[in-house]
Amino acid sequence: MLADFLEKNDIKTYNQSITSDQINTLKTSLKQEIDDKQNQIHQFYTNKIQDINKIDGQTKKLIGQCEELESERKELLGKIEEHSKLENHARHVNSNYHQFHHLNQFIDGTKQLIQLQTQIQECRQLCKKGHLNEAKNSYKSIENILNNHYIFPNTNEKFYQQHYPLYETFQKSIGRLRSDICQTHHILWNDGVNKTTQNELQLNLNYLDQLFKCIFYEDRGEKLLMEKNIQTFATYCFQGFIQIFIEKKLKLVIDIETPVILLQMENDDDIENNNNIEQFNITLNYLKEFFEILNTYLLSRTMNIQTTKEKSIESISLMSIFSSTIANDFIELIREHLLNIIPSDFEYIEIFRLLLETVVNLEKYLIEIKFFSSTQITNVLSSVIGNIDESIIKSRCRTYLIQSRELLQSNAIITTSLKTIEIGDNEQLFIQNEQDKEKYKNQSASNILSSTISLDELDANMFRFPRTIIVEHAYEYVQFVRKILEEANQLEKYGAHLCATARNMMELFHIIYANLHEKKAQEFPYLTALHFNTYMYVAHECLILGEEYYHLKSKTADGQPITFVDYVAIFRNQAANLLKSQLDTQKDTLTSFIREIGTFHNIVDETENQDLLKRAINKCIMQMENLSHNWRDVFSPHVYFKVIGYLCDHISQLLIKETLSLEDIPQQECDVMVKAFTQWSTFLQNILVKDDLSPGLNILARLAPNLTRFTELCIVLDSPMQTIVDRWFNGQGPLASQFAAIEIKQLIRALFQTSEKRTAALAKIQ
């Protein structure tokens, strides 16, 4: 305040002196300000006093109102007390009323309980008489009595527990009654649908009416029981009627005499005179009549089901259960049989068209009676046919494949006395022009033919087949393939199906023939040769068939030439594997003969060893003669000499190996060996060289190189030292072309004792 005063009176510094006037002015100012403040406080106090007086007046009014409300509250409390007395009195009256009502219900229940056993017996009699609906209504009233909590309350009071044995007794009776009712469902169904007699079905409408006018309760298993009965009946209709109709070609006899409908299957003598298409047409008409009777008197009915949760009634068609059980099997049966009777000849095309019309009409009727679902594709039965002309060709193809399979399987039991046929060119495959051979020899080593293929395997006439013996039915099979290809050539359309069938026949031969004959063929050398030739013959036909019918490319689906070349390697491999397996078996047998000798040492000192060597050579000769007897007239000469030469070469190699392993061969032992080896060498000349059909020594040397080595070995064993040196001829002689120097030196050391002459001879062998 002082600062304000100073500022107001322009007193700016405190170091200046203050005048009296200024002090008076300050006093006056302060006094005035104090008076103003006092006036303000007095005014504020006056206002507050007025507010307090006003509030006091309002408070007095509220106190008066509260006193009035208190008096009213006391009046209300009095009224409430009076109402409480009235309420207690009402409760007492209501309690007496409920007790009275409870007592009346208990008395009524007791009266019903007295008659309950009689009602149970009456309900059981209704079940026996087949009055199912009345029995179920009676059962419902009986069940209500047991569920009456006034008679059988759920309490632990001793007064009510005395009734529990009675309750349990009636529960057992009710359980037996429920079983009787379920059994009545089953009995009525079996009596209404009587299928006990073979080839006969009876529908008793009285029993069916009794059964389906009642409600089936889901929670009691009645729905499930009826569904199982209907499904069993559907299976019986399919297996016991429909399949028999189609397979045995019976006729349907219907006797409608209410209330019993009789359906019988009988033999039809007239239907046997018709072909398969006409027979199936008649059968389908019978099936339509069969479905008409079933639908009219049975399958058009519905079951009224009371569901468990909602306690509502829903209807289920018997046809829906019946069709869901057998519809798919029925479709497959009709479609399969329809495929099987498609004619393979256009002569029957018109009656087949009539059959298709019957199939379409049958399907329309089955859709109409809801045997087929409305969402199902139409023409589900006849759609398997498609184009009739093409279907006939496909049917013919299936017939050809069946005949092919039958032809192969009819000769499943193969013995050595099976039918054979001689086939092929008179001129042998291995006979080639000598000038051509020389030309191949003179070609450069870089030529892939001369470097990878032996000369005896080259053939300028690779599309010729040598004269051999094969299995007759394999020849018939190939001719059957040719017949189909010829037929495809004559067709303007759909020849591709026949071309594909021809290839499928080759695939059948590949799969079936080996499975039928391979095991037996490995047991007998004769059968090995026969099946080897057969495989090679079929492979040869596969090689030339594609070229022969090249013009059929216009008939194939993709416009490409028909070919069987991919089967050539397959059949040749089968032939090679079969022959190799037999040769391995024979080689093991021949090896065992040589191994029986044990060793060539000391065969002079031990007579038994001499006999073993002789017997081993004789066994080998006998085995080879037996093989020659089985193979000579079966194999082509080229193959015959190749396999015989291969086995003989193997024996010769074993004899050479055993001889070269000897460190010392005394003269007496050498004479024994020479005698036995000469016997084997003579046999080789007789079986391989001295024959009009033999390939000659030049080819034989390439086929069996150890045969020439064995001949040279026999010469060495039976020659003096100088002759051996002369045949070596400084590494240029015939002996040097077959043996290495180290092998000849070993023979010389084993045959001759140490001497200057032997040392000189060894020095010349370089």
Side-chain angles (χ1 to χ4, degrees):
M1 185 175 62
L2 180 60
D4 293 337
F5 175 79
L6 292 175
E7 182 179 2
K8 181 178 178 182
N9 292 278
D10 195 22
I11 301 176
K12 299 182 179 179
T13 57
Y14 291 99
N15 56 1
Q16 293 179 359
S17 62
I18 301 174
T19 65
S20 60
D21 292 334
Q22 291 175 337
I23 294 171
N24 291 330
T25 302
L26 176 61
K27 288 180 180 180
T28 302
S29 178
L30 291 172
K31 183 179 179 181
Q32 183 65 35
E33 188 172 355
I34 291 170
D35 291 338
D36 291 338
K37 292 294 183 181
Q38 287 177 349
N39 291 332
Q40 290 177 1
I41 293 170
H42 182 266
Q43 185 65 36
F44 179 76
Y45 175 77
T46 302
N47 293 335
K48 291 298 181 181
I49 291 298
Q50 292 175 355
D51 292 338
I52 291 171
N53 292 332
K54 188 183 293 186
I55 292 171
D56 288 341
Q58 293 176 353
T59 302
K60 289 179 181 179
K61 289 181 180 180
L62 290 174
I63 292 172
Q65 292 176 356
C66 288
E67 290 175 353
E68 292 177 359
L69 291 174
E70 178 65 21
S71 62
E72 291 179 359
R73 186 182 70 82
K74 290 180 179 180
E75 292 178 0
L76 289 174
L77 288 175
K79 292 180 180 180
I80 289 172
E81 186 176 356
E82 292 177 359
H83 284 299
S84 297
K85 292 178 180 179
L86 291 175
E87 184 180 2
N88 291 332
H89 182 68
R91 286 178 181 175
H92 180 69
V93 171
N94 189 39
S95 176
N96 292 336
Y97 171 77
H98 280 287
Q99 289 179 2
F100 178 74
H101 182 67
H102 185 186
L103 182 60
N104 285 337
Q105 285 189 335
F106 183 79
I107 293 171
D108 292 338
T110 304
K111 291 178 180 179
Q112 295 176 6
L113 193 62
I114 294 172
Q115 299 176 354
L116 183 59
Q117 189 63 36
T118 303
Q119 292 181 14
I120 293 175
Q121 293 296 331
E122 291 176 353
C123 185
R124 188 163 292 157
Q125 290 299 322
L126 290 174
C127 290
K128 291 181 180 180
K129 294 177 181 179
H131 299 161
L132 181 61
N133 198 39
E134 291 82 351
K136 295 180 77 169
N137 292 332
S138 177
Y139 174 81
K140 187 175 182 181
S141 63
I142 295 171
E143 194 176 42
N144 290 335
I145 295 175
L146 287 184
N147 293 331
N148 190 335
H149 66 280
Y150 290 105
I151 302 175
F152 298 106
N154 186 12
T155 178
N156 294 326
E157 294 182 10
K158 293 183 179 180
F159 176 77
Y160 294 106
Q161 287 181 354
Q162 62 183 336
H163 299 288
Y164 281 4
L166 179 63
Y167 177 78
E168 292 176 355
T169 301
F170 281 116
Q171 277 284 27
K172 293 179 181 179
S173 299
I174 291 293
R176 289 193 294 269
L177 181 58
R178 185 182 295 114
S179 300
D180 290 343
I181 292 176
C182 289
Q183 185 67 20
T184 304
H185 284 89
H186 193 64
I187 293 173
L188 282 178
W189 172 262
N190 288 336
D191 291 341
V193 183
N194 188 351
K195 53 183 184 295
T196 55
T197 305
Q198 188 176 8
N199 296 341
E200 181 178 301
L201 174 64
Q202 289 184 0
L203 301 179
N204 192 311
L205 302 184
N206 287 339
Y207 295 133
L208 293 175
D209 293 339
Q210 284 286 335
L211 179 62
F212 290 106
K213 72 179 181 181
C214 65
I215 296 175
F216 301 94
Y217 294 92
E218 185 177 9
D219 55 350
R220 298 174 185 172
E222 295 172 357
K223 174 188 174 183
L224 181 61
L225 173 65
M226 290 307 303
E227 286 180 344
K228 288 184 177 180
N229 284 334
I230 297 170
Q231 290 169 355
T232 303
F233 173 69
T235 303
Y236 162 77
C237 286
F238 180 74
Q239 298 176 352
F241 264 79
I242 297 175
Q243 282 187 336
I244 294 177
F245 271 143
I246 294 176
E247 294 173 0
K248 296 187 177 181
K249 304 178 182 63
L250 303 176
K251 68 177 180 179
L252 180 66
V253 178
I254 303 174
D255 184 10
I256 301 177
E257 184 177 350
T258 308
V260 178
I261 310 299
L262 181 63
L263 301 173
Q264 288 180 309
M265 291 185 296
E266 297 180 356
N267 293 325
D268 190 354
D269 298 332
D270 296 333
I271 202 173
E272 298 295 335
N273 300 326
N274 301 323
N275 58 42
N276 290 335
I277 302 175
E278 294 171 332
Q279 289 175 355
F280 191 52
N281 197 346
I282 296 172
T283 298
L284 291 182
N285 288 323
Y286 281 138
L287 282 180
K288 185 178 180 182
E289 293 183 32
F290 178 72
F291 275 101
E292 287 176 347
I293 296 299
L294 285 184
N295 181 64
T296 302
Y297 297 102
L298 177 62
L299 299 180
S300 59
R301 299 173 184 265
T302 58
M303 291 194 305
N304 295 321
I305 308 297
Q306 180 172 321
T307 59
T308 304
K309 295 181 179 179
E310 300 177 357
K311 298 297 182 180
S312 59
I313 303 297
E314 67 175 18
S315 297
I316 299 179
S317 171
L318 268 64
M319 178 62 79
S320 63
I321 304 174
F322 184 86
S323 62
S324 63
T325 305
I326 66 169
N328 292 333
D329 293 335
F330 179 80
I331 291 172
E332 291 301 320
L333 177 65
I334 299 298
R335 286 166 63 94
E336 180 182 358
H337 202 75
L338 198 58
L339 282 175
N340 291 336
I341 64 171
I342 295 176
S344 57
D345 196 332
F346 289 95
E347 176 184 355
Y348 301 100
I349 189 170
E350 292 303 324
I351 60 175
F352 189 70
R353 291 183 191 276
L354 295 176
L355 172 62
L356 291 182
E357 292 180 5
T358 303
V359 173
V360 172
N361 292 333
L362 173 63
E363 183 174 350
K364 289 180 179 178
Y365 176 74
L366 293 177
I367 293 175
E368 179 183 339
I369 65 176
K370 298 181 180 180
F371 178 76
F372 288 155
S373 172
S374 58
T375 59
Q376 203 163 16
I377 302 175
T378 57
N379 296 330
V380 66
L381 297 178
S382 58
S383 61
V384 71
I385 300 301
N387 185 287
I388 296 181
D389 294 340
E390 185 177 10
S391 298
I392 290 176
I393 297 300
K394 289 182 178 179
S395 175
R396 189 175 301 178
C397 293
R398 286 193 295 271
T399 302
Y400 288 154
L401 289 176
I402 293 173
Q403 292 175 355
S404 302
R405 190 186 304 273
E406 291 175 350
L407 177 59
L408 293 175
Q409 293 179 341
S410 63
N411 295 274
I413 302 177
I414 298 297
T415 63
T416 54
S417 60
L418 56 88
K419 293 182 180 180
T420 60
I421 185 173
E422 190 174 8
I423 198 73
D425 300 329
N426 291 326
E427 188 175 1
Q428 304 305 322
L429 183 65
F430 68 89
I431 300 178
Q432 299 178 1
N433 190 289
E434 293 294 333
Q435 293 180 355
D436 291 340
K437 293 182 184 180
E438 292 297 327
K439 181 180 68 173
Y440 291 133
K441 286 181 181 180
N442 295 331
Q443 286 180 348
S444 62
S446 61
N447 189 320
I448 188 171
L449 289 177
S450 61
S451 61
T452 59
I453 302 177
S454 60
L455 294 179
D456 57 293
E457 292 176 348
L458 291 174
D459 182 18
N461 302 309
M462 64 177 298
F463 292 105
R464 293 171 52 218
F465 190 72
R467 199 75 176 173
T468 53
I469 295 177
I470 65 172
V471 177
E472 185 178 37
H473 74 268
Y475 174 78
E476 296 173 356
Y477 194 89
V478 173
Q479 297 309 310
F480 193 11
V481 175
R482 289 181 177 275
K483 173 188 172 183
I484 293 173
L485 293 175
E486 289 291 344
E487 185 176 344
N489 187 35
Q490 296 173 5
L491 291 177
E492 295 182 1
K493 297 173 64 177
Y494 311 122
H497 296 301
L498 291 172
C499 293
T501 300
R503 280 191 54 84
N504 290 337
M505 288 178 63
M506 285 301 180
E507 183 67 21
L508 274 179
F509 186 89
H510 160 55
I511 295 173
I512 296 179
Y513 194 85
N515 291 336
L516 292 178
H517 308 312
E518 185 172 358
K519 183 178 180 180
K520 186 66 67 175
Q522 292 176 354
E523 296 178 3
F524 300 99
Y526 171 77
L527 294 180
T528 300
L530 194 60
H531 291 301
F532 173 87
N533 292 342
T534 302
Y535 280 129
M536 295 300 290
Y537 166 72
V538 178
H540 170 74
E541 291 293 335
C542 290
L543 185 65
I544 64 176
L545 275 176
E547 182 66 24
E548 185 177 346
Y549 292 95
Y550 181 83
H551 57 281
L552 286 180
K553 66 179 182 178
S554 61
K555 309 287 185 180
T556 57
D558 55 0
Q560 298 296 322
I562 183 172
T563 179
F564 299 89
V565 175
D566 50 326
Y567 287 105
V568 174
I570 293 175
F571 291 133
R572 286 183 176 176
N573 286 337
Q574 284 181 306
N577 292 335
L578 180 63
L579 183 58
K580 181 179 182 302
S581 177
Q582 183 62 244
L583 290 178
D584 289 343
T585 301
Q586 297 300 326
K587 190 168 70 170
D588 292 341
T589 301
L590 295 170
T591 301
S592 66
F593 294 158
I594 302 300
R595 297 301 184 203
E596 287 178 358
I597 303 173
T599 178
F600 284 3
H601 292 291
N602 302 320
I603 58 176
V604 174
D605 297 337
E606 299 180 11
T607 306
E608 184 179 356
N609 275 7
Q610 299 182 44
D611 294 338
L612 288 176
L613 178 60
K614 182 178 180 181
R615 279 189 295 176
I617 297 296
N618 287 334
K619 285 182 179 180
C620 292
I621 291 174
M622 291 176 62
Q623 184 69 12
M624 293 306 302
E625 286 178 343
N626 182 48
L627 293 176
S628 174
H629 173 74
N630 284 304
W631 288 349
R632 176 178 291 274
D633 296 329
V634 181
F635 279 131
S636 66
H638 172 71
V639 176
Y640 167 76
F641 284 108
K642 191 169 185 178
V643 296
I644 292 295
Y646 171 78
L647 294 176
C648 291
D649 182 76
H650 174 68
I651 300 172
S652 301
Q653 182 185 15
L654 290 177
L655 295 176
I656 293 171
K657 181 179 179 182
E658 291 292 337
T659 303
L660 292 178
S661 65
L662 297 176
E663 296 181 358
D664 183 28
I665 306 176
Q667 183 61 41
Q668 291 181 340
E669 293 183 4
C670 183
D671 293 341
V672 173
M673 293 172 60
V674 167
K675 185 176 180 181
F677 287 2
T678 301
Q679 182 183 3
W680 174 248
S681 179
T682 303
F683 170 74
L684 294 180
Q685 293 294 324
N686 292 333
I687 196 173
L688 295 175
V689 180
K690 293 181 180 180
D691 193 291
D692 296 337
L693 299 177
S694 64
L697 291 176
N698 55 344
I699 295 179
L700 190 60
R702 291 194 296 273
L703 295 177
N706 286 299
L707 298 180
T708 307
R709 292 191 76 205
F710 184 75
T711 302
E712 287 295 326
L713 176 63
C714 292
I715 295 175
V716 169
L717 292 176
D718 197 29
S719 299
M721 188 184 304
Q722 187 57 44
T723 302
I724 298 174
V725 174
D726 292 342
R727 292 189 66 82
W728 179 260
F729 194 62
N730 298 324
Q732 302 296 322
L735 187 60
S737 64
Q738 302 298 325
F739 290 93
I742 189 172
E743 293 175 330
I744 297 302
K745 287 182 178 181
Q746 176 60 29
L747 281 174
I748 293 176
R749 292 190 185 97
L751 290 170
F752 303 101
Q753 295 181 352
T754 304
S755 63
E756 294 180 358
K757 186 177 180 180
R758 191 184 79 170
T759 303
L762 292 174
K764 294 179 181 181
I765 307 299
Q766 299 293 334

Coordinates of all heavy atoms in Angstrom, one line a residue, residues 570-598:
I570 N 12.4 -106.5 -75.4 CA 11.8 -107.2 -74.3 C 11.8 -108.7 -74.5 O 12.3 -109.5 -73.6 CB 10.4 -106.7 -74.0 CG1 10.4 -105.3 -73.6 CG2 9.7 -107.6 -73.0 CD1 9.0 -104.6 -73.4
F571 N 11.4 -109.2 -75.7 CA 11.3 -110.6 -75.9 C 12.7 -111.2 -76.1 O 12.9 -112.3 -75.7 CB 10.4 -110.8 -77.2 CG 9.0 -110.5 -76.9 CD1 8.2 -109.8 -77.9 CD2 8.3 -111.0 -75.8 CE1 6.9 -109.5 -77.7 CE2 7.0 -110.7 -75.6 CZ 6.3 -110.0 -76.5
R572 N 13.6 -110.5 -76.7 CA 14.9 -111.0 -76.9 C 15.6 -111.1 -75.6 O 16.4 -112.1 -75.4 CB 15.7 -110.1 -77.9 CG 15.3 -110.2 -79.3 CD 16.1 -109.4 -80.2 NE 15.7 -109.6 -81.6 CZ 16.3 -109.0 -82.7 NH1 17.2 -108.0 -82.5 NH2 15.9 -109.2 -83.9
N573 N 15.4 -110.2 -74.7 CA 16.0 -110.3 -73.4 C 15.4 -111.5 -72.6 O 16.1 -112.2 -71.9 CB 15.7 -109.0 -72.6 CG 16.6 -107.9 -73.0 OD1 17.7 -108.1 -73.6 ND2 16.2 -106.6 -72.8
Q574 N 14.1 -111.7 -72.7 CA 13.5 -112.8 -72.1 C 14.1 -114.1 -72.6 O 14.4 -115.1 -71.9 CB 12.0 -112.8 -72.3 CG 11.2 -111.8 -71.4 CD 9.7 -111.9 -71.7 OE1 9.3 -111.8 -72.8 NE2 9.0 -112.1 -70.6
A575 N 14.3 -114.2 -74.0 CA 14.9 -115.4 -74.6 C 16.4 -115.5 -74.1 O 16.8 -116.6 -73.7 CB 14.9 -115.2 -76.1
A576 N 17.1 -114.4 -74.1 CA 18.5 -114.5 -73.6 C 18.6 -114.9 -72.2 O 19.5 -115.7 -71.8 CB 19.2 -113.1 -73.9
N577 N 17.8 -114.3 -71.3 CA 17.8 -114.7 -69.9 C 17.5 -116.1 -69.6 O 18.1 -116.8 -68.8 CB 16.9 -113.8 -69.1 CG 17.3 -112.3 -69.1 OD1 18.5 -112.1 -69.3 ND2 16.4 -111.4 -68.9
L578 N 16.5 -116.6 -70.4 CA 16.1 -118.0 -70.3 C 17.2 -118.9 -70.7 O 17.6 -119.9 -70.0 CB 14.9 -118.3 -71.1 CG 14.3 -119.7 -71.1 CD1 13.9 -120.1 -69.7 CD2 13.2 -119.9 -72.1
L579 N 17.9 -118.6 -71.8 CA 19.0 -119.5 -72.3 C 20.2 -119.4 -71.4 O 20.9 -120.4 -71.1 CB 19.3 -119.1 -73.7 CG 20.4 -119.9 -74.4 CD1 20.0 -121.4 -74.5 CD2 20.7 -119.4 -75.8
K580 N 20.4 -118.2 -70.9 CA 21.6 -118.0 -70.0 C 21.4 -118.8 -68.7 O 22.4 -119.4 -68.2 CB 21.8 -116.5 -69.7 CG 23.0 -116.2 -68.8 CD 23.1 -114.7 -68.5 CE 24.3 -114.4 -67.7 NZ 24.3 -115.1 -66.4
S581 N 20.2 -118.8 -68.2 CA 20.0 -119.5 -67.0 C 20.2 -121.0 -67.2 O 20.8 -121.7 -66.4 CB 18.5 -119.3 -66.5 OG 18.2 -120.0 -65.4
Q582 N 19.8 -121.5 -68.4 CA 20.0 -122.9 -68.7 C 21.5 -123.2 -68.9 O 22.0 -124.3 -68.4 CB 19.2 -123.3 -69.9 CG 19.2 -124.8 -70.3 CD 18.7 -125.7 -69.2 OE1 19.4 -126.5 -68.6 NE2 17.4 -125.6 -69.0
L583 N 22.2 -122.3 -69.6 CA 23.6 -122.6 -69.8 C 24.4 -122.5 -68.5 O 25.3 -123.3 -68.3 CB 24.1 -121.5 -70.8 CG 23.6 -121.6 -72.2 CD1 24.2 -120.5 -73.1 CD2 24.0 -123.0 -72.8
D584 N 24.0 -121.6 -67.6 CA 24.6 -121.6 -66.3 C 24.4 -122.9 -65.5 O 25.4 -123.4 -64.9 CB 24.1 -120.4 -65.5 CG 24.6 -119.0 -66.1 OD1 25.5 -119.0 -66.9 OD2 24.0 -118.0 -65.7
T585 N 23.2 -123.4 -65.6 CA 22.9 -124.7 -64.9 C 23.8 -125.8 -65.5 O 24.4 -126.6 -64.8 CB 21.4 -125.0 -65.1 OG1 20.7 -124.0 -64.5 CG2 21.1 -126.3 -64.4
Q586 N 23.8 -125.9 -66.9 CA 24.6 -126.9 -67.5 C 26.1 -126.7 -67.2 O 26.9 -127.7 -67.1 CB 24.4 -126.9 -69.0 CG 22.9 -127.2 -69.4 CD 22.5 -128.6 -68.9 OE1 23.3 -129.5 -68.9 NE2 21.2 -128.7 -68.6
K587 N 26.6 -125.5 -67.2 CA 28.0 -125.2 -66.9 C 28.3 -125.7 -65.5 O 29.4 -126.2 -65.3 CB 28.3 -123.7 -67.1 CG 29.7 -123.4 -67.1 CD 30.0 -122.0 -67.6 CE 29.5 -121.0 -66.6 NZ 30.0 -119.6 -66.9
D588 N 27.4 -125.4 -64.6 CA 27.7 -125.9 -63.2 C 27.7 -127.4 -63.1 O 28.6 -128.0 -62.4 CB 26.6 -125.4 -62.3 CG 26.7 -123.8 -62.1 OD1 27.7 -123.3 -62.4 OD2 25.6 -123.3 -61.7
T589 N 26.9 -128.0 -63.9 CA 26.8 -129.5 -63.9 C 28.2 -130.1 -64.5 O 28.8 -131.0 -63.9 CB 25.7 -130.0 -64.7 OG1 24.4 -129.5 -64.2 CG2 25.6 -131.5 -64.7
L590 N 28.6 -129.5 -65.6 CA 29.8 -130.0 -66.3 C 31.0 -129.7 -65.4 O 32.0 -130.5 -65.3 CB 30.0 -129.3 -67.6 CG 28.9 -129.7 -68.7 CD1 29.0 -128.8 -69.9 CD2 29.1 -131.1 -69.1
T591 N 31.0 -128.5 -64.7 CA 32.1 -128.2 -63.8 C 32.2 -129.2 -62.7 O 33.3 -129.6 -62.2 CB 31.9 -126.8 -63.3 OG1 31.8 -125.8 -64.3 CG2 33.0 -126.4 -62.3
S592 N 31.0 -129.6 -62.1 CA 31.0 -130.6 -61.0 C 31.7 -131.9 -61.5 O 32.3 -132.6 -60.7 CB 29.6 -130.8 -60.5 OG 28.8 -131.4 -61.5
F593 N 31.5 -132.3 -62.8 CA 32.1 -133.5 -63.3 C 33.6 -133.4 -63.2 O 34.3 -134.4 -62.8 CB 31.7 -133.8 -64.7 CG 30.2 -134.1 -64.9 CD1 29.5 -133.9 -66.1 CD2 29.4 -134.6 -63.8 CE1 28.2 -134.2 -66.2 CE2 28.1 -134.8 -63.9 CZ 27.5 -134.6 -65.1
I594 N 34.1 -132.3 -63.6 CA 35.6 -132.1 -63.6 C 36.1 -132.0 -62.2 O 37.2 -132.5 -61.8 CB 36.0 -130.9 -64.4 CG1 35.5 -131.0 -65.9 CG2 37.5 -130.7 -64.4 CD1 36.0 -132.2 -66.6
R595 N 35.3 -131.3 -61.3 CA 35.8 -131.1 -59.9 C 35.8 -132.5 -59.2 O 36.5 -132.6 -58.2 CB 34.9 -130.2 -59.2 CG 34.8 -128.7 -59.8 CD 36.2 -128.1 -59.8 NE 36.1 -126.7 -60.2 CZ 37.1 -126.1 -60.7 NH1 38.3 -126.7 -60.8 NH2 37.0 -124.8 -61.2
E596 N 35.0 -133.4 -59.6 CA 35.0 -134.7 -59.0 C 36.4 -135.4 -59.0 O 36.7 -136.3 -58.2 CB 34.0 -135.6 -59.6 CG 32.5 -135.3 -59.2 CD 31.5 -136.2 -59.9 OE1 32.0 -137.0 -60.7 OE2 30.3 -136.0 -59.7
I597 N 37.2 -135.1 -60.0 CA 38.5 -135.7 -60.1 C 39.4 -135.3 -59.0 O 40.2 -136.0 -58.4 CB 39.2 -135.2 -61.5 CG1 38.3 -135.6 -62.6 CG2 40.6 -135.8 -61.6 CD1 38.8 -135.1 -64.0
G598 N 39.2 -134.1 -58.5 CA 40.0 -133.6 -57.4 C 41.3 -132.9 -57.8 O 41.5 -131.8 -57.7

